[in-house]
Amino acid sequence: MTNQPYDGYDGYDPYGQQPQHAQQPQHPQGQAPQAWPGQGYQQGHQGYPGYEDPHAAQQYTQQWQGQTWETQTHQQVSAPAAADTAYLPPQGYAAPAPAPAEVADASGDGYGPATLGGNTRVTDAQRARAEGRSPIIEPGMQPAALTALLGLLLAGAAAVGTYALLVPLVVLQAVTAAGWFRLNGMWPARQGIALGFAGALAADAALLASGRSPAAILGTLGVWVLLALVLQLRSHADPDERMYGLMATVAAAALAIVAGGYLAADADAVTVGAVAVAVAVLARALPLPTAASVVAALLAAAGGGVAAGAMTGLGTSGALLGAGAAACALIGHRVASYDYPSRFVHFTAGVALPLSAAAPAVYVLGRALV
């Protein structure tokens, strides 16, 4: 660039005197003063000495060598493109996390690796509530058919004998422990499932050793609660996660152990109660309003109890036993429908919880009525 001063300032007298001619800088031979980019270079003003024709000087203007910043050559940014970049965060700034309703589920069924503390992702139930949908989904007819099949197996095995009853009972206890952990979003929680299932097997062994005394169930349950507490105290997880894992383990073990009540109950009561639960769950799965299906399930259970009672000697008192067992089974059915469960929950907890929840009623009412 040239070091020549701006026009009109060098030699200008503010008090009206004649302007002084500025010394022209020396340039290499054959070169004219460099021109500013985008405009011509003028020597003085028109009417003053030293004025030159700007068009005549353009042929001697030296070309600008070096980098320039021509703003006119840039492409004009359109309004939509500017709007797309208007909310980009500055460098080094972490963008805010999306809202719960916008979180996409990357895995197949929506659950990540299992932990005792549960999964930190946004659950389907939370998404359903955010969208105004109900988080309750009932298992449906297929899980109800499996529940009915397992109930009929329990009824038939009870009529055969105690050791025959062990086979469907062990299956029921295993599915109960697995289904409860899956219902809580903790899968595969192998240690918790194994602990709950081991508690159920220990309760069955204690029942057989004690002559089917119900005290064996209570004793096993107390021991397993202490065992689960000790195992959780040894965990290095956060206190909240340990508490969550402790409650899930205790509940799974308790439900699996309580299902052993079929082994402690009278054989006729087991037959009547299992038949009533099978009929009630099938009636509950019919496409009816909730209140109507509940009433239909209780009536069907009472009728099934009367029919099974006629074959076992309980007679009409089987209606009361069947209705009581069905009421507990519907509670287990409702629990398996809560919190927007997955298909796997329906085929584990949805199948096992109605029968496991009915076991105490079968034992108590059977002892009272037989």
Side-chain angles (χ1 to χ4, degrees), residues 162-176:
T162 301
Y163 290 96
L165 181 60
L166 276 176
V167 177
L169 178 60
V170 168
V171 175
L172 173 63
Q173 291 169 330
V175 178
T176 299

Side-chain angles (χ1 to χ4, degrees), residues 18 21 24 36 45 53 55 65 71 76 89 95 107 122 142 146 214 237 279 344:
Q18 293 295 331
H21 294 287
Q24 300 294 332
W36 292 92
H45 297 274
D53 186 8
H55 298 286
Q65 301 295 331
T71 60
Q76 186 177 4
S107 61
V122 176
Q142 291 180 349
L146 293 177
V279 175
F344 193 90

Side-chain angles (χ1 to χ4, degrees), residues 252-338:
L255 288 171
I257 291 173
V258 166
Y262 288 110
L263 197 61
D266 184 79
D268 291 342
V270 173
T271 300
V272 173
V275 170
V277 170
V279 175
V281 172
L282 289 175
R284 183 67 177 84
L286 294 177
L288 298 173
T290 301
S293 63
V294 169
V295 173
L298 293 176
L299 293 177
V306 170
M311 294 184 296
T312 58
L314 283 177
T316 57
S317 59
L320 179 60
L321 193 153
C328 294
L330 293 180
I331 294 175
H333 182 273
R334 178 68 174 182
V335 172
S337 308
Y338 180 69

Side-chain angles (χ1 to χ4, degrees), residues 142-156 168 274 278-279 282 351 355:
Q142 291 180 349
L146 293 177
T147 302
L149 176 61
L150 187 55
L152 293 178
L153 289 177
L154 287 171
V279 175
L282 289 175
V351 171
L355 286 169

Side-chain angles (χ1 to χ4, degrees), residues 1 34 37 62-70:
M1 296 176 62
Q34 299 179 359
Q62 182 180 3
Q63 298 296 327
W64 182 267
Q65 301 295 331
Q67 187 178 5
T68 60
W69 292 268
E70 289 290 342

Side-chain angles (χ1 to χ4, degrees), residues 123-147:
T123 63
D124 293 333
Q126 292 173 336
R127 185 181 294 110
R129 292 189 183 96
E131 295 176 357
R133 295 183 284 110
S134 174
I136 304 297
I137 295 182
E138 298 178 356
M141 184 57 71
Q142 291 180 349
L146 293 177
T147 302

